[in-house]
Structure formats: C-alpha cells, structure tokens
Amino acid sequence: MTCNLTTIGFDADDTLWHNERFFRVTQDRFAALLLDHTPASLDRTGLERRLLAAEKRNLGRYGYGVKGFTLSMIETAIEVTNQRVPAAVIQELILAGQMMLTYPIELLPHARAAVEQLADHHRLILITKGDLLDQERKLAQSGLGDLFDAVEIVSEKTPQIYHEIFTRHAEGPERAMMVGNSMRSDVVPPITAGGWGIYVPHGQIWEVEHAEPPSESPRYHTIEHLGQLPDLVARINAI
C-alpha cells in the first residue's frame, strides 16, 4: 500500500464552508408558502417528502445546486396544488432561490489553517459538485482560492471521476486523499478508485448524500474537524 501522499482533494460545501443551512432555511420558506394552498392531508413532513422526491428525480436533468433545487421547489408547488399555486407564490420561490446565490461565505472552524498548512507540502485540489457560477463565487469569496493547485467542478463524484482527476493532477489515486462531509460522494468513491477517503461529519447533510461507511478499508478515516487533518496526513505518510 503506497502511503506517500502527494495530493489532497477537498470537498467545498459543508467541508470548507457552510452550505446546507441555507437549503434548510429556504425549505422552511417553501413550506410556509405552500401550506395554505395544499390539502389538509398534506402536512409539512409530506411537503418535504414531495420536494425531496422531486430533487432526486431531477438530479439527472439539472444536476446539483441551487438552480436545480429552485426548479424542484416550483415543480413540487405546481404538483401539490394540482396546478393551482398562485403566481405570487412561484415568484416568492424564485426570489428565495436567488437569495441563496447571495449568502455570504462562512468558513468552517479550522478550514483555513488546515488548508494553509497542507498547501506547503502537498498538491491541493478542490473537487466539488454544484452550479458552476455559484461554486466559483463561493470559492472567490472564501479567500482560499490561491491555495489550491486545481479546481474541479463536476456533475457527479464517481470512482472513475476521482481516478481521472487524481491521474490528471497527480500521480494517481494511490497517492491521493479526498476529504469531505459526504460518505456517498467524498469517501466511498475515492477509496473505490484506490485512494484515501477522510470523513469530516458536518451535522447537517442532505439525505441523498447518505451511504454506509467503508469501515473495512484501511484507507478510510474519520476526523472530528479539519484541525485534525494535518496530523492524520503526517501519520499516514509515516506508515
């Protein structure tokens, strides 16, 4: 097992900075706008289930990010009201989606220090899903952009995608690590590709991103926060 790590990939949303909280706030707004226009049998939980079903259905059409989420809210609003949703509600949903594209970036604890420390001796790659313009905006506002050697905004995170990225920017996945808060996107696929997967729990995670941890893999690790990452990298390199 090759342990000399040369390259570290970082997820962006809810790994380096807050993101899911804004989806939760907007989902609250969605429910508040729709409850007066839906049958009494459809409560808030039912509305959220219908929205989640639309999001899953639309991933192949719109991909990840705010725009797909906004379109899914509009689609759900039309469906649950039997096409009777007022135009004013649709307008409010659009405005709520647009507001999500303006929220200021707040780095998670230890994010800057960990990235700065690791950038001294490793090649760093930001690997994220989502809307291209929105992800570029968030990276620019984060102040971390200059610390990354490459940025990859992808439509999906699969073992093949990780293999291609770590082969293009590094010496292959065997000497690369991916760090993120999604077991499904940031941990399991890079390990499957032959690399390391480091899980950093965030607390709030979209249901779609759940997966079983690859507990049997020696290349899987969990840390409580990014402040523990440099020491973990050092231990792995010392193997």
Side-chain angles (χ1 to χ4, degrees):
M1 180 167 54
T2 301
C3 299
N4 185 17
L5 292 170
T6 63
T7 305
I8 301 174
F10 282 88
D11 173 51
D13 295 334
D14 295 317
T15 297
L16 296 176
W17 52 70
H18 287 287
N19 182 66
E20 180 64 21
R21 61 166 59 167
F22 304 128
F23 283 83
R24 302 290 176 95
V25 168
T26 307
Q27 187 165 295
D28 289 344
R29 180 62 176 153
F30 165 82
L33 287 167
L34 265 295
L35 281 175
D36 288 340
H37 302 281
T38 55
S41 58
L42 188 64
D43 60 8
R44 177 179 174 131
T45 300
L47 267 175
E48 291 176 350
R49 287 176 181 159
R50 294 288 292 272
L51 175 57
L52 178 62
E55 290 181 87
K56 291 180 177 178
R57 205 166 55 233
N58 287 329
L59 281 177
R61 300 186 180 102
Y62 310 133
Y64 296 84
V66 172
K67 294 174 187 174
F69 178 64
T70 303
L71 289 169
S72 292
M73 287 196 297
I74 294 170
E75 181 179 313
T76 304
I78 293 170
E79 289 178 348
V80 299
T81 62
N82 196 24
Q83 301 183 351
R84 291 194 292 268
V85 59
V89 172
I90 297 296
Q91 184 178 36
E92 286 294 325
L93 293 176
I94 293 172
L95 291 174
Q98 292 174 343
M99 179 65 68
M100 293 178 70
L101 298 171
T102 66
Y103 284 121
I105 295 305
E106 180 184 347
L107 292 179
L108 284 161
H110 312 289
R112 177 177 298 279
V115 172
E116 288 178 341
Q117 184 173 343
L118 291 167
D120 288 339
H121 303 288
H122 298 81
R123 186 181 299 109
L124 302 188
I125 308 173
L126 188 75
I127 306 174
T128 182
K129 299 183 295 190
D131 298 316
L132 176 62
L133 293 178
D134 190 33
Q135 295 301 87
E136 290 178 339
R137 172 190 71 86
K138 288 187 282 190
L139 179 59
Q141 291 185 7
S142 73
L144 300 178
D146 291 341
L147 297 171
F148 287 94
D149 298 283
V151 176
E152 294 278 353
I153 301 174
V154 299
S155 58
E156 190 58 272
K157 292 177 175 178
T158 64
Q160 181 62 33
I161 290 294
Y162 280 113
H163 190 278
E164 291 174 359
I165 290 174
F166 289 136
T167 298
R168 183 164 62 249
H169 295 292
E171 295 83 2
E174 294 80 9
R175 301 181 69 180
M177 167 188 287
M178 181 63 186
V179 181
N181 73 302
S182 170
M183 197 70 70
R184 173 181 173 269
S185 294
D186 304 321
V187 178
V188 175
I191 291 176
T192 302
W196 297 76
I198 311 303
Y199 179 56
V200 193
H202 176 261
Q204 290 184 323
I205 188 167
W206 187 28
E207 183 178 324
V208 172
E209 295 294 340
H210 284 288
E212 290 299 314
S215 302
E216 301 302 316
S217 173
R219 288 177 173 255
Y220 164 62
H221 291 270
T222 296
I223 55 177
E224 295 177 0
H225 54 74
L226 287 177
Q228 297 175 340
L229 183 60
D231 286 343
L232 174 61
V233 171
R235 291 200 304 272
I236 291 173
N237 274 331
I239 295 175

